[in-house]
Amino acid sequence: MGDKTHAKEMTALLVIDPYNDFISEGGKLWDRIKGVAEGNHCVPNMLRVLQAARKASLRVFYALHRRYRPGDYETWTYIVPVQRAGWLSKAFENGTWGGDIRSEFAPQPGDIVVQEHWCSSGFANTDLDLQLKKHGIHKLIVIGLIAHTCVEATVRFAAELGYEVTMVKDATADYSDEMMHASLHINLPNYANSLVTADQVVDTIGDL
Amino acid sequence: MGDKTHAKEMTALLVIDPYNDFISEGGKLWDRIKGVAEGNHCVPNMLRVLQAARKASLRVFYALHRRYRPGDYETWTYIVPVQRAGWLSKAFENGTWGGDIRSEFAPQPGDIVVQEHWCSSGFANTDLDLQLKKHGIHKLIVIGLIAHTCVEATVRFAAELGYEVTMVKDATADYSDEMMHASLHINLPNYANSLVTADQVVDTIGDL
Amino acid sequence: MGDKTHAKEMTALLVIDPYNDFISEGGKLWDRIKGVAEGNHCVPNMLRVLQAARKASLRVFYALHRRYRPGDYETWTYIVPVQRAGWLSKAFENGTWGGDIRSEFAPQPGDIVVQEHWCSSGFANTDLDLQLKKHGIHKLIVIGLIAHTCVEATVRFAAELGYEVTMVKDATADYSDEMMHASLHINLPNYANSLVTADQVVDTIGDL
Amino acid sequence: MGDKTHAKEMTALLVIDPYNDFISEGGKLWDRIKGVAEGNHCVPNMLRVLQAARKASLRVFYALHRRYRPGDYETWTYIVPVQRAGWLSKAFENGTWGGDIRSEFAPQPGDIVVQEHWCSSGFANTDLDLQLKKHGIHKLIVIGLIAHTCVEATVRFAAELGYEVTMVKDATADYSDEMMHASLHINLPNYANSLVTADQVVDTIGDL
């Protein structure tokens, strides 16, 4: 095996929260991200990156927010605002369409779907770090929702835990342009090794 | 509120792997632990401690081993012996009777069932630490299976992460007396703040 | 003991990176934060909050960035931009004045100075979470530098790990108003339970 | 680069607690481990493995127990027995000969000395996992002290966190043969991928 094989084996695609509630017409949060998401073609770009990754046989991981279940949060002594908001909205409710992954993004055999997380980072209190190590992954290509919460949290944790990240800046969206800007231009450049377009990353993946 | 209320609020019962495969006649691993488990009345003792905890309104947490699902481990580059053994045995298979919690130990509303773990520690790569913190828990009473693997691993992690543990030494079992001895007499005294009998802990819980 | 005593015992002040390089005239990074820091009286506010915490006998914890030492980063295969920048700037160099804590903020006996961190979060790869648990802390009052990197990273991790945070918004600073805004108005409201002024928190601490 | 190069690059030697207090004549704990350590030639074997690793340019990591410092533990609300014992013994006291690494084992330039740990696992609340990832390490060869506490704890954590371990069974020691047996024959076979002699591992390293 040569370097190229190894580069491919140590790189994975990480898909964050491709729930209907976020990215499908009729989803609970779609109306709030629609403006940004349609503006940068977020969903089609996510799909193109996913398809390129599958074609190149990159391992695909899913980091998913806790799907709301009755009883969640009720017994907690301590809670933070983003959790209280989730409790109120019951977004990604377990067993409902909103809590299903949008069909084109459904996990395939061989994909790794990690434990659901309770706040914003796909790494916190889950088996994401373990699963990446079990597969020998050191580099992540990140797509998904939404930029300044779950995506940024996951990229920040990835950096803290030793991973290198390629962030696909037009395969994410947010509630406002200001939030996108804060994430993509102020914070992520400190933690992601590169920020690229879907076009660029599809080319790169093809060359792996 | 007085100190007593606080002592109670910060203490929880942690039940480890009360699966049929471990502690029910006909379970895949029951024949291997039966000798020790019947000798120390492990299952009735576990049940008495659980009932005492419920009566005293102690919060009950469940730490559970990964229930085997098709595809598990197959894509891993790295694996350790205890995982390879689980892969072979398919113990606690998801959707089967063996992977169900023995009926008397079924979680009740208000109990916290944390994410399943992949190796032996209930803390590693799960939300157990988070859930304990969210409920203000600092002290754990531990019962369950089996002593030198999942129980010891979870108690060791509890100690490393800052918790104080009361280990109920006749509410656990193992494949051999030698393994029980190694766990209860050699290792756990370093990491558990006390090792007590079910009789003793039932009294203590009643006084909380 | 009553509830008030418990509220006090479970709350700590967390001071982030009060290095000369950040907040003293002549420090390597002072010129970059001076505009914001002088505008909101960051350093005097940090000092007032610290003094109020000491007067009220709140436990004080220090989360500190890795002080640069020769050899750091040189052998790493993987590195992220914020680490590469630190490698270049040699900020907080160990054994130099810039890497000393500004004198008014020097730790006192009984304070807890945790292991230095390698990226931005005071929690990642350190004993901060352990030390907080060992002292029974569930709530943090956060002050220090700089808002959108180490402060935000530490507050995000605190939220992910189960802590409640009070962020003191005029006891932090940043390289630009835009960065302050992104941190204080876009991101931290999701993760900090309250954002208050130094005046407000000094009052609150006095009432604990 | 071929597979062999990669095997070498992803393997490291992990040296646990080679303090004078443990393995030097006159050390606080030497008299307690001397019987086992002299019986299996632990110290010469540790040294041979270290030298073989250096000759083969394997990266060397040191996992070290907290060196006792005045004030340690005094403010803790929660403490576990192994920590209380360390507090009493003041083993590995910072700034004393007992807390120095035995001279033949002194870290060399390019070695990675991770943050000291507070309990038994070299991974818990330290940067060991990060440093291993930063260097692309997936496999550990483990030597050091003592078998049933720090060594076993570190190997258990390594397994939980996704690493593969080769344990060198005659390059460790313990307070009694029974403790050695519990660790090497009952527990470590579940978590270490192989248990080998110093002779065997020196050969293996030479072939990397």
Side-chain angles (χ1 to χ4, degrees), chain D residues 13 21 33 40 42 44 58 63 69 82-83 141 208:
Chain D
L13 178 67
D21 266 346
I33 73 160
N40 72 354
C42 169
L58 283 196
R69 293 167 176 80
V82 74
Q83 291 163 334
I141 298 165
L208 277 180

Side-chain angles (χ1 to χ4, degrees), chain D residues 70-87:
Chain D
D72 283 357
Y73 312 108
E74 285 175 13
T75 60
W76 286 12
T77 305
Y78 306 100
I79 188 166
V80 296
V82 74
Q83 291 163 334
R84 195 172 294 279
W87 188 7

Side-chain angles (χ1 to χ4, degrees), chain B residues 24-130:
Chain B
S24 294
E25 188 72 37
K28 278 183 187 163
L29 300 160
W30 171 244
D31 283 346
R32 294 185 63 193
I33 73 160
K34 189 178 180 176
V36 173
E38 292 189 345
N40 72 355
H41 307 286
C42 169
V43 179
N45 284 338
M46 285 175 63
L47 197 54
R48 279 199 303 141
V49 177
L50 176 62
Q51 288 166 341
R54 293 204 186 287
K55 192 174 167 196
S57 300
L58 283 196
R59 184 76 57 191
V60 179
F61 291 74
Y62 287 77
L64 302 176
H65 190 278
R66 172 76 177 180
R67 289 163 161 111
Y68 175 79
R69 291 167 178 82
D72 283 358
Y73 312 108
E74 285 175 13
T75 59
W76 287 12
T77 305
Y78 305 100
I79 189 166
V80 297
V82 75
Q83 292 164 333
R84 194 171 294 277
W87 188 9
L88 275 172
S89 74
K90 296 187 177 39
F92 329 125
E93 189 166 359
N94 195 43
T96 71
W97 171 85
D100 284 346
I101 290 176
R102 185 175 156 144
S103 58
E104 304 95 311
F105 295 90
Q108 303 299 310
D111 291 354
I112 305 297
V113 180
V114 307
Q115 307 283 20
E116 300 170 7
H117 59 265
W118 283 99
C119 186
S120 293
S121 168
F123 285 96
N125 313 297
T126 75
D127 57 343
L128 177 53
D129 182 60
L130 175 74

Side-chain angles (χ1 to χ4, degrees), chain A residues 75 77 83 118 127 134-135, chain B residues 75 77 83 118 127 134-135:
Chain A
T75 60
T77 305
Q83 292 164 334
W118 284 98
D127 57 342
K134 285 298 194 183
H135 291 86
Chain B
T75 59
T77 305
Q83 292 164 333
W118 283 99
D127 57 343
K134 285 298 193 182
H135 291 86

